[in-house]
Amino acid sequence: MDSSNQLSDQRNKRRRLRFILQIAISAALGGFLFGYDTAVINGAVGAIGTAFTVSKETLGFAVASALLGSALGAFTAGWLSDRIGRRNSMLVAALMFLVGSLGSALAPTITILILWRVVGGLAVGFASVLAPAYIAEISPASMRGQLGSLQQLAIVIGIFLALLFDYVIVLFTSDQNPVSVIGPLAAWRWMFMSEIIPAALYAVLVIGIPESPRYLVQKGLTQRAKAVIEKTLHEPADQVIARIQSSLVNTHQGKLSELFDRHTILLPIIWTGVMLAIFQQFVGINVIFYYSSVLWQAVGFSAKDSLIVTVITSITNVVTTFIAIAFIDRLGRKPLLLAGSVVMAVNLGVMSWAFAGAPLVNGSPHLAGAGAIVALIAANLFVFAFGFSWGPVMWVMLGEMFNNRIRAVAIGLCAMVNWIANFLISDTFPGLLERSGPALAYGLYATAAAISFFLVLFFVRETKGKELEEMA
């Protein structure tokens, strides 16, 4: 009898694990589109400038415009998901991904392109809030770090496939130029069009997942919540529901006003989340993924070779994320962040040094020989460090560090700040590159990485293994 009970428990455990993985992966597909949408423009940047004959400042704004939409989407996603639910909000995001990619592909002017990029950005902002919140709310505490890291894994796979498709599409042109036409459209337009398939798949998968049990309890739908909890957690459902209800006393839905404090403007825990969101971008990671093909061309690489280098860098980003998945629930969040800050600061400093010492050709630094190898190794080590630390860990922490009452709106505020910081870095980089060269830019990013170490050391509290209801 005991052995049969053990076998039954093992079967139930495996069934529960499969179900959790299925719904976590479905939700994380929003992260895939997050990465795909933000990176797909990388291979199209130069072609857009040529096709519409725009200045570098306008081109920089066209690239960064999606980030403004992302900031707005992130800010409103928490509010919307507290009213119509996490799952329904993810469906809204899927539809915006669809129309944004189609509109960008067919845009007749740079202004229309920017407008559709903003729509796609809204979807990215939604995904950046909804996936970590949803995954945190359906995951057992012992697996929450690993499952939350699926969001970042999906993001980096999205980035990799976007850059890979950019490269493959260019290979189909007669002269390996994204301005050239393939069938009825220019190659760069096919880059945007390729996003339609994963966006449609995301919509289909989201329809098949359950609503967050914590949202259901918040709305008084305890029987539906109980059914989800029984499929995802080992604890008795009534016990979990009672704990959630206790954490929601006197509050039925999250309000933005709850994030503020009379003396410190924002609550201390919100300040910590905001600073994590800012410094994740101030290290300059997205300069690598938005502008790397242009950057490597600027220092002497061909268009084809620069795209190959960018794809290699994105593969590094995917591989290193598995390190975070393996160790985040063993070592904890804080050690990974600290280690990442150190390695990023060192390698960004090396990149700054390499570009500062490069000889000038036509007024721009030209890397060759050992200098080029050093810069490439340092760039990939920087991406490696970001991939096992600040990339996944920040999103995991934002998903779990806030209490049930304010989680959605708090993540929304932090994600909005993250996208604004992303916009500032992305929008200023082309002008900084033109006026001062890459050495100054990477020096500034190295400084931000060094500051991030002390932010984590003194202000970040470990969340490994804690129940969401224990969060302050």
Side-chain angles (χ1 to χ4, degrees):
M1 185 66 180
D2 288 343
S3 61
S4 63
N5 285 338
Q6 285 180 342
L7 287 172
S8 178
D9 286 343
Q10 289 175 354
R11 282 196 296 269
N12 288 335
K13 187 176 181 179
R14 286 195 295 269
R15 190 181 302 114
R16 190 179 296 114
L17 179 60
R18 284 196 299 269
F19 183 71
I20 293 170
L21 282 173
Q22 175 189 333
I23 58 180
I25 290 170
S26 297
L29 188 55
F32 175 90
L33 285 160
F34 167 166
Y36 199 101
D37 190 271
T38 53
V40 74
I41 199 170
N42 187 297
V45 171
I48 290 170
T50 301
F52 296 122
T53 318
V54 295
S55 66
K56 288 192 175 182
E57 286 73 17
T58 302
L59 183 61
F61 183 75
V63 173
S65 59
L67 307 179
L68 294 178
S70 299
L72 179 60
F75 187 68
T76 56
W79 173 85
L80 185 66
S81 68
D82 273 339
R83 281 149 184 81
I84 68 171
R86 290 15 172 184
R87 187 181 68 170
N88 289 337
S89 297
M90 284 189 273
L91 275 174
V92 172
L95 292 175
M96 287 193 292
F97 275 122
L98 275 168
V99 298
S101 58
L102 183 61
S104 298
L106 302 178
T109 66
I110 189 68
T111 302
I112 301 299
L113 174 64
I114 289 171
L115 288 174
W116 285 116
R117 289 293 294 159
V118 170
V119 172
L122 285 168
V124 169
F126 268 57
S128 68
V129 171
L130 298 170
Y134 179 85
I135 292 172
E137 291 181 347
I138 59 95
S139 302
S142 61
M143 297 177 60
R144 198 171 57 236
Q146 291 178 313
L147 293 173
S149 297
L150 290 176
Q151 156 85 344
Q152 180 65 17
L153 180 62
I155 291 171
V156 298
I157 290 174
I159 291 171
F160 163 66
L161 288 180
L163 298 174
L164 179 62
F165 277 122
D166 284 356
Y167 175 67
V168 170
I169 287 169
V170 166
L171 290 182
F172 275 93
T173 63
S174 57
D175 56 355
Q176 297 184 343
N177 191 323
V179 178
S180 301
V181 173
I182 302 175
L185 298 173
W188 68 267
R189 294 184 183 275
W190 284 113
M191 294 176 185
F192 290 118
M193 192 73 76
S194 65
E195 190 179 337
I196 290 174
I197 295 173
L201 179 61
Y202 180 43
V204 171
L205 290 177
V206 166
I207 291 171
I209 65 177
E211 183 52 84
S212 157
R214 286 173 171 88
Y215 170 80
L216 293 171
V217 172
Q218 182 179 322
K219 292 299 182 181
L221 303 171
T222 54
Q223 289 305 309
R224 286 178 58 189
K226 185 176 181 179
V228 178
I229 291 168
E230 288 174 344
K231 292 181 179 180
T232 56
L233 302 180
H234 185 66
E235 293 181 79
D238 290 336
Q239 181 178 315
V240 176
I241 289 171
R243 191 172 66 229
I244 296 170
Q245 287 173 330
S246 177
S247 72
L248 294 170
V249 172
N250 299 324
T251 304
H252 297 291
Q253 59 187 25
K255 296 180 180 178
L256 189 62
S257 60
E258 293 187 61
L259 308 184
F260 294 90
D261 181 87
R262 284 188 305 171
H263 305 293
T264 57
I265 304 178
L266 294 173
L267 295 172
I269 190 67
I270 304 299
W271 272 120
T272 301
V274 164
M275 297 310 291
L276 285 172
I278 289 173
F279 278 92
Q280 193 216 37
Q281 291 302 320
F282 274 17
V283 298
I285 185 64
N286 281 313
V287 165
I288 296 289
F289 293 114
Y290 297 161
Y291 293 108
S292 57
S293 61
V294 174
L295 174 64
W296 295 119
Q297 286 180 61
V299 295
F301 287 71
S302 69
K304 180 182 176 182
D305 288 345
S306 67
L307 281 171
I308 292 174
V309 170
T310 300
V311 170
I312 292 171
T313 302
S314 69
I315 293 172
T316 301
N317 203 17
V318 172
V319 172
T320 190
T321 304
F322 285 101
I323 297 177
I325 292 173
F327 290 104
I328 192 168
D329 283 323
R330 298 180 187 178
L331 298 179
R333 287 60 163 151
K334 194 167 179 175
L336 290 179
L337 288 174
L338 290 170
S341 293
V342 171
V343 180
M344 287 192 299
V346 170
N347 284 285
L348 285 166
V350 169
M351 291 175 70
S352 178
W353 170 81
F355 283 112
L360 297 179
V361 177
N362 297 323
S364 299
H366 186 91
L367 290 174
I373 294 172
V374 167
L376 282 172
I377 292 174
N380 281 281
L381 286 176
F382 162 59
V383 172
F384 179 85
F386 184 87
F388 76 70
S389 61
W390 281 78
V393 176
M394 186 211 73
W395 290 112
V396 169
M397 292 205 72
L398 290 186
E400 65 187 9
M401 67 192 290
F402 306 114
N403 64 47
N404 286 330
R405 294 193 306 275
I406 64 171
R407 180 172 302 109
V409 289
I411 296 174
L413 175 64
C414 294
M416 179 190 71
V417 170
N418 182 264
W419 287 112
I420 291 173
N422 192 337
F423 172 79
L424 291 174
I425 294 297
S426 302
D427 190 49
T428 56
F429 180 75
L432 193 61
L433 180 64
E434 186 174 23
R435 288 189 295 272
S436 305
L440 176 61
Y442 286 117
L444 292 173
Y445 306 150
T447 302
I451 294 172
S452 73
F453 176 87
F454 296 100
L455 166 68
V456 174
L457 185 65
F458 293 115
F459 297 105
V460 172
R461 290 182 292 179
E462 184 59 71
T463 55
K464 182 184 74 169
K466 292 183 179 181
E467 296 292 345
L468 296 183
E469 287 68 44
E470 296 178 50
M471 304 304 172

